Amino acid sequence: AAQGATPETAPPAGALPAPLDAVVAAWAAHDPDAIAALYADDAALAEAVIDGPVLAGRAAIREWATANFAGFP
């Protein structure tokens, strides 16, 4: 999703390929479970921040998404 996208400014459903549409929908809904479900159980996700953490596993990704939403309601 574009930086600063909100449910009001996110692309309409179906405007993106299905996997990207699912990412946009999960972030727009502030749904950490839906975000985590996009990744394999043993996924590794590198935080976009320089020297950010590498998240290991779906549970860690869910916790990271939950913290993001707490910081940016």
Side-chain angles (χ1 to χ4, degrees), residues 2-71:
Q3 187 173 13
T6 66
E8 294 79 27
T9 62
L16 299 171
L20 293 178
D21 201 34
V23 170
V24 170
W27 279 100
H30 284 211
D31 187 344
D33 291 322
I35 290 167
L38 297 168
Y39 295 88
D41 286 334
D42 61 350
L45 174 65
E47 172 60 85
V49 176
I50 296 173
D51 295 327
V54 175
L55 307 167
R58 189 179 284 158
I61 293 168
R62 181 182 301 107
E63 290 174 22
W64 169 78
T66 299
N68 272 290
F69 294 137

